[in-house]
Amino acid sequence: MSITKEQVDKIAHLARLALTEEEAHAYATQLENIFNLVTVLQQADTAEVRPMAHPMDAKQRLRPDVITEGNEREVMQAIAPLTDMGLYLVPQVIE
Amino acid sequence: MMIHTLAEYQKQLLAKKISSLELTQFFLDKMAQHNALNSFITVCAETAKAQAIHADELRAQGKAGPLTGLPFAHKDIFCTRGIKTTCGSKMLDNFIAPYSATVTEKLDDAGMVLLGKTNMDEFAMGSSNENSFYGVVHNPWDTRCVPGGSSGGSAAAVASRIVPAASGTDTGGSIRQPAAFCGITGLKPTYGRISRYGMIAFASSLDQAGPMTQTAEDAALLLNAMAGFDVRDSTSLNVPVPDYTATLNDSLQGLRIGIVPSFFGDGLNSEIGAAIDNAKSVLEKLGAQCVEIELPHHELAIPTYYVVASAECSSNLARYDGVRYGYRAAQPVDLMDLYKRSRSEAFGQEVKRRIMMGTYVLSSGYYDAYYLKAQKARRLISEDFKAAFKNVDVILSPTTPDVAFKIAEKTHDPVKMYLSDIYTIAVNLAGLPAINIPCGFSGQLPIGMQLIGNHLTEARLLNIAHQFQQHSDHHQKVPMMESSS
Amino acid sequence: MKWEVVIGLEVHAQLATQSKIFSGAATAYGALPNTQACAIDLGMPGVLPVLNEEALHMALKFGLAVNAHLSHESVFARKNYFYPDLPKGYQISQYEIPVVGRGHLDITLDDGTVKRIGITRAHLEEDAGKSLHEDFQGMTGIDLNRAGTPLLEIVSEPDMRSSNEAVAYLKTLHTLVRYLGICDGNMQEGSFRCDANVSVRLKGAEKLGTRCELKNINSFRFVERAINYEVERQIDVLENGGTIAQETRLYDADANTTRTMRSKEEANDYRYFPDPDLLPVCVNEELIARIKTTLPELPQEKRDRFMQHYGLNAYDANVLSSARELAQYFEAVVDVGVDPKLSANWVMGELLAALNKENLAIDESPIPPAALGQLLQRITDNTISGKIAKTVFAHMWLNEGSADEIIEKQGLKQVTDTGAIEKIIDEIIANNPQQLADYKGGKEKLFAFFVGQAMKATQGKANPQQLNDLLKEKLQKA
């Protein structure tokens, strides 16, 4: 299969990665090679097979509706890049 | 002081022949001596000594548990409150974890002394430890070679005996493969046996922590403390934890070992094949019986793994956006720039490659062809094992197709690198436990073999490994090393 | 009009749990920024979600109340997109298999007809945080207290044909979730939010028109206005030969317009896939049966019962059953032994007016239902008149005592002594010869003047009926 540079650009944008021209070309080739590896999957007969999302056949456990966490703002924001008045700051967002 | 196993130090602490502080200082010195291996990202000298003093006090008060005062190293993927936790990434170079992983808490509660955080492939993505922001780790058997990955720092540190034991994590072989390359014992338990809470995620449905040690007995000791149900992890198994040391000496009489003939074909280094043949005869002498089995869908394992793992990682790593913690690009012009530059500047090539791949396989139009297809193939692979375990107790295979390769040998060919995970990957897809056991050498480089068990058969795997180690000495060999100081 | 309007609503109801859907942080509204955002809500490395039992139970309650199909095994999925108020870069939601499947809700229209609105699905998901666009060093501030608050997204079929129907559906749903105790319904605080999918098509056309999704409509009034504006806009575009672009539009309440949302311009590819950190959520018959026993009497059942059992008219029954607490209050008044119609009048009249004036909820009323019941009994047993009762009510409101205490203390007991009333009437007639003459001359309206004078003289305590009768008699004779 072939992967175009346009596809690479689109994926990079979805993943919020900025790629240089060279990087985009390199990824196009590398992804192509990797997907050639993956083509063997297409030959597998999976018509009657249920997809498997988890290795164990377990069910979701539920936690009681109890407040267990207090105010940890100070410790959490001690490692934040930029805050003001308890808020995380990002460049202006326009809705 | 002599180099010993964790179990031997345990006896000496119990007999009060040594103190935890002496032991801790001994290893801190060794770590400093051999820092050229680059097996550590962070050394916790001060906190380790404080923990050791506390452990000695507990012992004096008669309050010591079985692991109290024993030093160990943590792969830098486990969050450690107040201590830098990088996951081998520039992204988290400034991340002082505000909380501890459940495993960290459990080992802390057991009284173990944290010596430091070991080097690793960035976000556990890699098979050579060459993808670390903190540089390559050297294989102590031949420093021109890689130690394997992603738990390369832990493997190199234990192999060189600069720590008595370490933790690792395994998503597609990241405990077993470096254990094989470095000649140590490494156990990947059943998925869910050890809590994933606070263990930085690569691929959530595959990741599993485990012990990396000199011997199976040490692995049993460490697993006793690491394993157990955790209410904070929905995928944690609510199954009692046995004492893994209690069954180490069980007989192997009647043990049925499955062998997959196709695993021993052209792709395998013949010396590895020969070493495993020898190991087979040792196990047969101990009463085991080898049976040929098939895993018909095994060829699907690598493609399935790379689709599933990449998809999960692309989503798991979306949280690194430069807003709440971690690396943030300087002077972003707008939000998009903040996102794109923070992520591009702080993630390494392999991480970006996997994010790209995962984003692609999940994107509209490709989901069914790749992701859904891989999930179905995953069931086929898993069913193969289920069928096999109706007939055999464990499966014996090589851990790796070859011994440790040279640094930079495969960095430019990701596909070649991925193919080297051929024997380890299916185990993660099926959530099975598996252990690497040293079984020989090719030149000066160690050879490892892998025992795969059915779900929750860790005790049996450790028992077999222990019995094998009672009748072999590969695990006792220590690399000759020049100290760097 | 040749155009037909087609509306479907997506309602996000914040579930009234104590803690978040996947973490143990509090959900209370109004806390200081980021003081209720724990490591899990912040999407810190390595943290994991565990599902809140109560959130699941609330979703099931809703499913049962709208006769929906309940999934025995529902799945949480990740909806991947980048936004600063979405800490993990994905929202945990349900995609292919929601907990609540197809159901329906009956709404009563203005003309009294009942219309059934299909419910496509209702699924559990986590709320995002809030972006504050006020200027913080020229930047946007992010508060993640709301991140991880449980939401039930209730998606309707495109079954509504006017903004009125949309409002009726929304109000019915609003009443229902509050009845069930699963959502406080506070629209100002955003605990009950609505997006509307609006399209128009030529009458008789089978194919639906291209729809626009309206966001940010946070009151019933705005829902109506936003839809009306949008319908006009779309018709205008179509009649001028244009086409409708499928897009998300933001309602601007101040300008009463809708506009394209810039942040949603780019086509999203959410890359949904099952969340590997969460396992399938299993719901068995036993759990469903257990939840069923916790269901309260639902609004429609209650309204019907009020009409049948208490003989209330449809309007009164509707108002009194619109909120569970109000209905409870009403029934507690009736239980004291008061006539249901009288109780209804007072609860809906005097009481609600007083509560509204002070912005109090029914359960914050300074007058408990038993106390109001006692007051109303004094009307029934002729101790006081309805008018005096309002005075007593005002004193009771100020916590000055029970009805009986106030009547006693202030001497408000009705004068029923015929002799005393007659004496007063005689005096009034004697003192107002001119009015008497006019009345006799045919100005019958002046009767009210004499009633007023008598009431004034008795300080309102005269029994009105008795006074009327006696006054008529005396004026006749005079």
Side-chain angles (χ1 to χ4, degrees):
Chain A
M1 79 172 284
S2 75
I3 293 177
T4 63
K5 194 189 151 285
E6 286 66 40
Q7 278 176 301
V8 168
D9 287 341
K10 196 190 133 217
I11 300 162
H13 177 67
L14 271 178
R16 298 295 184 269
L17 293 171
L19 303 182
T20 61
E21 282 293 300
E22 302 93 90
E23 276 179 318
H25 279 292
Y27 279 126
T29 315
Q30 285 170 354
L31 287 180
E32 222 170 278
N33 291 341
I34 295 166
F35 282 103
N36 287 334
L37 181 77
V38 174
T39 48
V40 59
L41 265 188
Q42 311 311 325
Q43 283 133 40
D45 179 11
T46 56
E48 302 295 313
V49 186
R50 272 185 309 125
M52 180 169 147
H54 290 282
M56 312 298 282
D57 250 345
K59 305 297 172 213
Q60 180 60 38
R61 205 163 19 82
L62 304 171
R63 45 168 276 270
D65 180 25
V66 177
I67 298 169
T68 55
E69 309 298 317
N71 174 10
E72 293 178 279
R73 185 170 87 183
E74 204 173 316
V75 60
M76 293 299 170
Q77 294 197 344
I79 51 168
L82 191 58
T83 60
D84 186 27
M85 298 178 356
L87 297 163
Y88 294 98
L89 297 189
V90 297
Q92 199 89 60
V93 177
I94 303 146
E95 284 201 323
Chain B
M1 195 171 311
M2 293 281 292
I3 287 169
H4 291 299
T5 61
L6 210 54
E8 181 59 30
Y9 288 131
Q10 185 188 40
K11 286 192 197 107
Q12 295 189 0
L13 283 170
L14 190 65
K16 299 191 176 161
K17 284 185 186 162
I18 48 167
S19 71
S20 174
L21 185 59
E22 286 168 330
L23 200 53
T24 299
Q25 190 58 59
F26 172 71
F27 283 108
L28 287 171
D29 292 345
K30 284 183 82 69
M31 285 157 65
Q33 255 171 42
H34 296 288
N35 66 6
L37 284 178
N38 198 26
S39 55
F40 280 86
I41 292 172
T42 303
V43 175
C44 307
E46 294 316 309
T47 51
K49 281 184 262 185
Q51 280 182 308
I53 291 166
H54 180 62
D56 287 332
E57 282 166 6
L58 285 178
R59 191 168 297 283
Q61 294 161 11
K63 291 179 188 159
L67 298 176
T68 302
L70 287 171
F72 82 108
H74 236 342
K75 184 177 181 179
D76 204 19
I77 198 169
F78 294 96
C79 285
T80 43
R81 191 180 172 95
I83 296 171
K84 192 165 86 159
T85 302
T86 69
C87 220
S89 183
K90 181 180 178 183
M91 184 58 87
L92 293 176
D93 185 44
N94 59 3
F95 184 70
I96 311 291
Y99 49 88
S100 281
T102 297
V103 174
T104 306
E105 282 179 356
K106 284 176 94 88
L107 295 180
D108 194 36
D109 290 347
M112 292 192 78
V113 174
L114 176 64
L115 294 168
K117 310 283 299 283
T118 61
N119 203 339
M120 58 181 285
D121 280 305
E122 184 179 8
F123 285 102
M125 295 171 204
S127 310
S128 67
N129 220 117
E130 291 164 289
N131 301 330
S132 169
F133 174 64
Y134 300 92
V136 295
V137 175
H138 298 271
N139 190 316
W141 294 94
D142 179 346
T143 53
R144 295 167 303 171
C145 288
V146 301
S150 66
S151 311
S154 286
V158 173
S160 58
R161 307 297 192 255
I162 65 176
V163 297
S167 64
T169 63
D170 190 316
T171 306
S174 280
I175 286 176
R176 291 159 288 156
Q177 185 255 20
F181 279 12
C182 290
I184 64 164
T185 304
L187 173 70
K188 180 210 104 69
T190 307
Y191 181 81
R193 176 76 290 188
I194 297 175
S195 168
R196 291 189 298 115
Y197 188 88
M199 185 178 111
I200 298 178
F202 160 15
S204 311
S205 78
L206 301 164
D207 296 343
Q208 180 59 209
M212 299 180 77
T213 54
Q214 300 165 46
T215 63
E217 185 184 15
D218 284 3
L221 276 175
L222 208 50
L223 185 61
N224 274 350
M226 292 171 83
F229 173 64
D230 182 8
V231 292
R232 294 187 290 184
D233 175 359
S234 296
T235 60
S236 161
L237 296 175
N238 195 354
V239 178
V241 179
D243 176 358
Y244 293 106
T245 62
T247 45
L248 289 173
N249 288 312
D250 284 4
S251 160
L252 301 191
Q253 204 62 50
L255 175 76
R256 288 173 67 82
I257 299 175
I259 306 278
V260 184
S262 60
F263 283 6
F264 296 85
D266 286 345
L268 183 69
N269 175 330
S270 58
E271 288 184 88
I272 295 179
I276 291 175
D277 275 342
N278 285 337
K280 246 164 44 182
S281 46
V282 172
L283 291 168
E284 278 167 347
K285 272 187 205 134
L286 293 169
Q289 186 194 345
C290 290
V291 187
E292 288 197 357
I293 56 157
E294 290 303 326
L295 297 172
H297 298 97
H298 197 261
E299 60 167 2
L300 300 178
I302 286 184
T304 299
Y305 172 83
Y306 279 96
V307 170
V308 171
S310 305
E312 292 183 8
C313 104
S314 72
S315 175
N316 282 337
L317 270 61
R319 68 190 60 200
Y320 305 104
D321 58 6
V323 176
R324 298 165 316 287
Y325 51 81
Y327 181 83
R328 180 183 179 108
Q331 307 293 323
V333 296
D334 57 20
L335 183 65
M336 192 59 81
D337 188 45
L338 169 70
Y339 283 153
K340 287 192 172 178
R341 276 205 295 123
S342 297
R343 292 167 61 76
S344 300
E345 290 168 14
F347 285 143
Q349 289 300 314
E350 182 61 25
V351 170
K352 282 190 252 191
R353 189 152 46 228
R354 304 241 188 152
I355 291 174
M356 293 282 290
M357 188 157 82
T359 304
Y360 183 75
V361 299
L362 289 176
S363 62
S364 66
Y366 301 102
Y367 182 87
D368 285 7
Y370 290 111
Y371 187 75
L372 200 62
K373 189 81 181 176
Q375 280 208 326
K376 290 177 176 175
R378 185 174 187 177
R379 189 171 298 279
L380 291 175
I381 292 160
S382 181
E383 299 288 337
D384 280 357
F385 280 110
K386 236 181 228 170
F389 285 124
K390 284 191 181 134
N391 197 24
V392 297
D393 300 310
V394 293
I395 297 166
L396 176 64
S397 85
T399 304
T400 57
D402 209 339
V403 292
F405 49 87
K406 293 276 187 328
I407 289 168
E409 190 182 311
K410 294 188 182 177
T411 39
H412 297 293
D413 190 350
V415 168
K416 207 169 178 185
M417 191 78 92
Y418 295 174
L419 287 172
S420 68
D421 299 332
I422 179 105
Y423 299 118
T424 48
I425 262 171
V427 165
N428 298 77
L429 290 168
L432 300 168
I435 190 167
N436 174 74
I437 311 160
C439 68
F441 284 85
S442 165
Q444 58 183 334
L445 291 170
I447 292 171
M449 64 177 181
Q450 172 177 240
L451 276 176
I452 306 167
N454 206 346
H455 290 141
L456 293 169
T457 59
E458 288 81 3
R460 189 60 165 157
L461 293 180
L462 289 164
N463 161 225
I464 301 165
H466 181 68
Q467 289 307 305
F468 178 76
Q469 290 178 344
Q470 296 301 296
H471 297 87
S472 64
D473 63 355
H474 315 290
H475 62 287
Q476 290 170 339
K477 302 234 162 81
V478 182
M480 297 289 289
M481 287 192 306
E482 292 167 22
S483 68
S484 47
S485 54
Chain C
M1 191 162 118
K2 61 177 182 173
W3 297 99
E4 182 180 46
V5 179
V6 177
I7 303 162
L9 296 183
E10 286 172 21
V11 169
H12 287 87
Q14 277 185 352
L15 297 176
T17 54
Q18 296 298 304
S19 64
K20 293 192 175 167
I21 184 166
F22 298 119
S23 85
T27 54
Y29 180 84
L32 287 172
N34 292 307
T35 56
Q36 286 176 178
C38 70
I40 293 170
D41 309 323
L42 294 173
M44 286 277 168
V47 299
L48 296 169
V50 183
L51 180 60
N52 184 334
E53 179 178 43
E54 197 56 31
L56 173 66
H57 290 180
M58 286 177 169
L60 293 174
K61 259 189 185 178
F62 176 79
L64 287 169
V66 296
N67 297 297
H69 167 79
L70 302 178
S71 302
H72 285 260
E73 207 175 283
S74 65
V75 173
F76 280 101
R78 292 184 182 176
K79 180 181 183 181
N80 294 284
Y81 66 96
F82 285 87
Y83 204 70
D85 61 20
L86 187 72
K88 297 184 294 295
Y90 58 83
Q91 179 193 30
I92 304 177
S93 182
Q94 296 191 303
Y95 185 54
E96 282 184 330
I97 316 173
V99 59
V100 176
R102 190 166 282 271
H104 58 79
L105 189 64
D106 289 342
I107 62 170
T108 307
L109 303 176
D110 290 344
D111 63 3
T113 57
V114 172
K115 180 168 178 175
R116 177 158 289 186
I117 305 295
I119 292 195
T120 317
R121 59 185 281 164
H123 66 253
L124 283 166
E125 62 183 25
E126 55 180 347
D127 208 343
K130 278 183 187 163
S131 300
L132 305 172
H133 303 296
E134 299 88 30
D135 196 35
F136 297 97
Q137 308 170 19
M139 307 189 92
T140 291
I142 307 294
D143 174 9
L144 296 171
N145 280 349
R146 200 179 67 176
T149 299
L151 289 179
L152 189 66
E153 180 174 334
I154 304 158
V155 182
S156 86
E157 291 288 295
D159 285 350
M160 287 151 277
R161 294 290 171 267
S162 69
S163 59
N164 280 341
E165 286 186 15
V167 171
Y169 165 79
L170 202 59
K171 282 189 171 163
T172 309
L173 194 61
H174 187 250
T175 300
L176 178 63
V177 295
R178 284 182 305 143
Y179 251 73
L180 295 170
I182 63 173
C183 174
D184 69 17
N186 192 322
M187 294 177 91
Q188 276 73 47
E189 291 176 2
S191 33
F192 189 83
R193 312 197 288 268
C194 173
D195 299 338
N197 287 311
V198 178
S199 65
V200 298
R201 64 179 169 191
L202 284 172
K203 268 193 185 140
E206 286 217 350
K207 208 168 156 258
L208 291 174
T210 306
R211 65 191 160 87
C212 289
E213 187 182 0
L214 304 183
K215 284 199 178 289
N216 198 30
I217 33 189
N218 52 10
S219 80
F220 294 118
R221 202 158 41 111
F222 290 168
V223 168
E224 193 167 359
R225 285 192 192 169
I227 291 173
N228 286 342
Y229 173 84
E230 180 61 18
V231 166
E232 273 177 44
R233 186 190 71 85
Q234 290 188 12
I235 292 173
D236 198 48
V237 169
L238 293 171
E239 289 192 337
N240 285 300
T243 50
I244 304 296
Q246 183 163 342
E247 61 179 357
T248 303
R249 297 178 71 84
L250 205 61
Y251 177 64
D252 180 340
D254 295 329
N256 189 31
T257 55
T258 65
R259 63 173 166 85
T260 300
M261 228 172 132
R262 292 179 61 178
S263 56
K264 297 267 175 178
E265 262 175 323
E266 129 198 21
N268 267 310
D269 182 345
Y270 291 124
R271 290 158 285 137
Y272 281 100
F273 75 109
D275 190 331
D277 288 332
L278 290 159
L279 300 165
V281 180
C282 286
V283 172
N284 56 29
E285 288 304 328
E286 188 209 318
L287 175 62
I288 293 173
R290 190 150 56 84
I291 301 284
K292 219 174 236 170
T293 63
T294 68
L295 281 187
E297 184 182 31
L298 296 177
Q300 281 181 8
E301 296 164 2
K302 199 173 286 260
R303 193 195 56 192
D304 294 348
R305 183 168 61 84
F306 281 6
M307 289 170 71
Q308 280 160 21
H309 192 248
Y310 298 127
L312 299 186
N313 62 34
Y315 177 80
D316 289 358
N318 229 346
V319 172
L320 290 172
S321 63
S322 67
R324 204 159 130 190
E325 298 76 13
L326 182 62
Q328 257 164 15
Y329 190 103
F330 162 71
E331 291 204 89
V333 174
V334 173
D335 282 350
V336 175
V338 183
D339 171 57
K341 182 64 194 162
L342 181 68
S343 303
N345 287 346
W346 273 77
V347 171
M348 290 165 60
E350 211 65 17
L351 181 71
L352 281 189
L355 289 169
N356 283 343
K357 205 170 146 195
E358 299 198 16
N359 218 349
L360 293 175
I362 184 84
D363 48 9
E364 295 169 316
S365 168
I367 304 177
L372 182 64
Q374 189 189 57
L375 172 66
L376 301 188
Q377 275 181 317
R378 295 299 159 262
I379 299 176
T380 314
D381 66 15
N382 280 327
T383 308
I384 55 173
S385 65
K387 199 167 172 207
I388 289 288
K390 289 185 182 177
T391 310
V392 178
F393 180 91
H395 287 288
M396 288 169 73
W397 187 263
L398 299 171
N399 281 318
E400 289 174 12
S402 70
D404 286 347
E405 284 163 6
I406 292 164
I407 292 167
E408 182 62 38
K409 204 160 52 187
Q410 312 214 2
L412 296 174
K413 212 166 178 171
Q414 210 156 233
V415 180
T416 47
D417 175 353
T418 312
I421 298 175
E422 281 181 347
K423 202 176 150 223
I424 288 165
I425 292 172
D426 289 342
E427 275 174 31
I428 290 169
I429 291 174
N431 292 340
N432 295 285
Q434 184 59 48
Q435 281 81 354
L436 179 68
D438 290 351
Y439 178 79
K440 289 277 184 193
K443 271 196 165 179
E444 291 196 359
K445 274 188 187 162
L446 280 168
F447 184 75
F449 165 79
F450 289 104
V451 172
Q453 290 296 310
M455 276 296 178
K456 204 170 156 190
T458 60
Q459 289 162 307
K461 286 182 289 186
N463 180 310
Q465 197 53 51
Q466 206 178 2
L467 174 67
N468 268 0
D469 294 346
L470 288 171
L471 189 60
K472 262 192 192 132
E473 198 184 309
K474 292 263 179 195
L475 286 171
Q476 204 102 51
K477 287 181 193 160

